[in-house]
Amino acid sequence: MAASSNSSLSGSSVSSDAEEYQPPIWKSYLYQLQQEAPRPKRIICPREVENRPKYYGREFHGIISREQADEILAGVEGAYILRESQRQPGCYTLALRFGNQTLNYRLFYDGKHFVGEKRFESIHDLVTDGLITLYIETKASEYISKMTTNPIYEHIGYATLLREKVSRRLSRTKNESRKASVTSEENTPVEKITSLVRRAALTQNDNHFNYEKAHNFKVHTFRGPHWCEYCANFMWGLIAQGVRCSDCGLNVHKQCSKYVPNDCQPDLKRIKRVYCCDLTTLVKAHNTQRPMVVDSCIREIEARGLKSEGLYRVSGFTEHIEDVKMAFDRDGDKADISASIYPDINIIAGALKLYFRDLPIPVITYDTYSKFIEAAKISNPDERLEAIHEVLMLLPAAHYETLRYLMIHLKKVTLHEKENFMNAENLGIVFGPTLMRPPEDSTLTTLNDMRYQKLIVQILIENEDVLF
């Protein structure tokens, strides 16, 4: 919240109370400061103001100068008014008294009120949040700057008991599916544990596949007091106090999120579906090497469909493919795709291709797309193969493993070319645009790159034993 007043607030050092403060598990110093912050005091205009915007109340004083606003607010900490600019009619300003001076903020409205990134339903909420932020940043600027220097994130011995509870629950039977074990935790005390504790428990799980995954942080408004699971400090403010990982539920300050390692352990309760879900998120949530859709479909195809004419080229009925998709979304690895339910193997092949097409980030990621295309353009076969191998090493681990497994399968398909009429080139035509898409949504780029997409997949199939 940056004020437009000529005088700026200088952040004072942490008080002696803060220096002597010995925090418990969750540090309450910032919470105490929030409780001490000035409360907003609306100064009502004594006269009826003409042309008052309908979304402002009687705190609007019309066109007055900064000096007049300063006189109205003088001596009342937390007092505020709204005024219309003398210099720019039609532009509105929040005048707020804090730190024995009047701060002026350009005020905007687009259905919600704001002076910066945060949007508020009311001016009162905006001022309340602003006063909290100003007070804490003034009183504890040095404390805040050092919050990330001694995080609890890697030192969570205080959570041993809860962690052991979760470990026992997660490992209670090797044969029970991960989905069933996690979803059955609802309405138990374990449900209330922090994602930090949950992450520690999962890290100790022997069956865990250690793929690196960045957290999917999004700005979040917490109802009631919340503490950062990275630095253990209170997350201050009225709204948008921090960020939450939408995959694992980790709650941290926005500034702390920059320091959190890429060790997201997605929670199945937060993963609503299988299709259209990020590949790494899905495999970490289900604790598998590859997406269960890939394993299940390939297993079924290799059991009864390798000799099927036009495998992967011939389409199955769209509505039946959608049925398979819904079955995976609903039942996960328990989805029944056997011949008794779907006798046409092209339905299963179509469901597998649809899974790859629906990925928000393709198997061959947007980041590596252009490098693969450039590698495909190399004329010397040996140099081209080496270049492709180098780019493969840039893929995220879960993407690499999925691609490797698929190429081994497609190589098996080509071994039955006499029956299915599908060689590596034909499969390249089918899977090229399915496995890789240009970062920009350009029809022209897609058309220009199609032959290189086909060539990349063809080379991956023909050389899977060398490249992987």
Side-chain angles (χ1 to χ4, degrees):
M1 193 171 181
S4 60
S5 63
N6 294 329
S7 59
S8 61
L9 290 172
S10 58
S12 61
S13 60
V14 185
S15 66
S16 58
D17 288 345
E19 290 169 354
E20 296 170 2
Y21 180 70
Q22 296 297 320
I25 295 168
W26 300 112
K27 305 168 188 176
S28 63
Y29 175 56
L30 298 179
Y31 176 73
Q32 293 169 1
L33 288 183
Q34 174 161 313
Q35 297 301 100
E36 297 168 8
R39 298 294 185 261
K41 300 174 182 67
R42 184 174 73 144
I43 306 301
I44 294 173
C45 184
R47 57 186 172 81
E48 188 63 36
V49 180
E50 293 184 10
N51 301 320
R52 182 180 70 193
K54 62 182 180 180
Y55 40 82
Y56 295 145
R58 292 186 61 192
E59 70 276 8
F60 183 73
H61 286 242
I63 299 178
I64 61 173
S65 66
R66 287 190 175 205
E67 292 73 24
Q68 289 173 301
D70 193 44
E71 289 177 12
I72 294 170
L73 299 175
V76 186
E77 191 78 347
Y80 70 94
I81 64 169
L82 307 182
R83 64 183 181 85
E84 188 171 357
S85 172
Q86 282 185 324
R87 299 174 189 172
Q88 296 177 287
C91 294
Y92 304 100
T93 298
L94 165 67
L96 173 65
R97 192 73 179 175
F98 179 82
N100 296 318
Q101 61 180 317
T102 299
L103 308 176
N104 292 276
Y105 300 92
R106 180 77 178 273
L107 188 59
F108 301 91
Y109 181 80
D110 63 356
K112 290 188 177 182
H113 304 278
F114 62 100
V115 297
E117 292 182 356
K118 293 185 178 182
R119 276 13 185 214
F120 297 85
E121 296 290 345
S122 69
I123 294 293
H124 181 85
D125 286 351
L126 185 154
V127 175
T128 302
D129 186 85
L131 287 170
I132 290 170
T133 301
L134 286 167
Y135 188 78
I136 288 178
E137 291 181 353
T138 301
K139 293 284 186 180
S141 59
E142 186 179 341
Y143 184 93
I144 291 170
S145 70
K146 294 178 179 179
M147 282 194 314
T148 59
T149 57
N150 188 28
I152 63 162
Y153 195 71
E154 299 299 335
H155 310 285
I156 51 175
Y158 69 88
T160 301
L161 291 176
L162 282 176
R163 188 169 65 244
E164 288 175 354
K165 267 187 186 178
V166 181
S167 294
R168 287 196 299 270
R169 187 172 289 276
L170 289 176
S171 59
R172 60 190 171 189
T173 169
K174 296 266 185 180
N175 299 323
E176 188 172 0
S177 75
R178 177 145 177 80
K179 180 174 181 180
S181 67
V182 177
T183 53
S184 65
E185 291 177 23
E186 293 180 4
N187 302 319
T188 71
V190 182
E191 176 77 12
K192 299 184 185 301
I193 66 172
T194 67
S195 59
L196 184 64
V197 178
R198 190 179 151 277
R199 180 183 63 83
L202 290 175
T203 301
Q204 295 181 352
N205 187 7
D206 292 339
N207 295 331
H208 175 64
F209 294 102
N210 192 27
Y211 291 141
E212 184 177 279
K213 176 184 170 352
H215 290 269
N216 186 16
F217 286 122
K218 294 180 181 177
V219 175
H220 189 78
T221 293
F222 298 94
R223 304 300 177 193
H226 268 73
W227 275 257
C228 174
E229 294 180 40
Y230 182 79
C231 72
N233 280 288
F234 178 66
M235 294 196 280
W236 66 90
L238 202 62
I239 68 167
Q241 304 96 326
V243 294
R244 168 176 286 177
C245 176
S246 58
D247 294 332
C248 72
L250 184 70
N251 302 318
V252 296
H253 291 111
K254 188 175 181 181
Q255 59 266 46
C256 290
S257 68
K258 303 170 187 173
Y259 301 96
V260 177
N262 293 338
D263 62 351
C264 176
Q265 304 288 355
D267 185 349
L268 267 174
K269 293 191 293 295
R270 297 178 180 275
I271 308 302
K272 303 301 182 186
R273 54 189 177 181
V274 171
Y275 279 68
C276 303
C277 177
D278 173 70
L279 193 154
T280 303
T281 300
L282 185 71
V283 298
K284 286 183 75 72
H286 286 269
N287 196 24
T288 56
Q289 278 186 289
R290 297 169 297 275
M292 93 282 284
V293 178
V294 176
D295 280 10
S296 297
C297 289
I298 286 178
R299 191 184 310 118
E300 194 68 23
I301 290 166
E302 291 186 355
R304 60 184 173 99
L306 285 177
K307 296 181 180 181
S308 178
E309 184 176 336
L311 182 64
Y312 289 117
R313 180 177 55 79
V314 176
S315 299
F317 287 115
T318 302
E319 60 185 60
H320 292 167
I321 292 172
E322 285 293 326
D323 286 345
V324 174
K325 173 183 176 179
M326 287 191 291
F328 277 115
D329 282 341
R330 183 183 63 247
D331 304 325
D333 56 3
K334 298 292 190 294
D336 186 356
I337 57 171
S338 63
S340 60
I341 308 296
Y342 301 104
D344 182 4
I345 199 63
N346 294 312
I347 294 170
I348 309 305
L352 179 61
K353 290 188 293 181
L354 179 62
Y355 172 75
F356 289 129
R357 284 199 303 273
D358 278 355
L359 284 173
I361 300 175
V363 176
I364 293 177
T365 62
Y366 294 126
D367 290 343
T368 59
Y369 179 87
S370 60
K371 295 181 178 66
F372 272 107
I373 295 297
E374 290 306 311
K377 293 178 180 179
I378 298 173
S379 56
N380 183 288
D382 291 337
E383 292 178 6
R384 183 172 59 201
L385 204 63
E386 182 62 32
I388 291 173
H389 181 261
E390 288 179 6
V391 185
L392 279 171
M393 295 299 102
L394 301 177
L395 288 174
H399 286 245
Y400 177 91
E401 169 58 25
T402 301
L403 187 63
R404 181 194 69 82
Y405 190 72
L406 177 64
M407 292 305 116
I408 292 173
H409 163 66
L410 294 181
K411 185 68 170 286
K412 291 179 184 176
V413 173
T414 65
L415 297 178
H416 296 272
E417 181 189 352
K418 288 183 179 178
E419 293 87 8
N420 61 35
F421 301 105
M422 296 299 289
N423 57 27
E425 183 177 4
N426 293 337
L427 291 168
I429 294 171
V430 173
F431 278 95
T434 300
L435 297 177
M436 54 193 305
R437 304 189 296 272
E440 68 282 356
D441 188 14
S442 168
T443 304
L444 184 61
T445 302
T446 303
L447 290 173
N448 290 337
D449 291 350
M450 279 184 70
R451 57 177 173 159
Y452 300 115
Q453 293 172 349
K454 180 215 75 171
L455 184 58
I456 286 294
V457 175
Q458 179 181 342
I459 292 171
L460 290 176
I461 296 170
E462 291 173 342
N463 301 276
E464 56 82 17
D465 55 334
V466 176
L467 290 171
F468 297 95

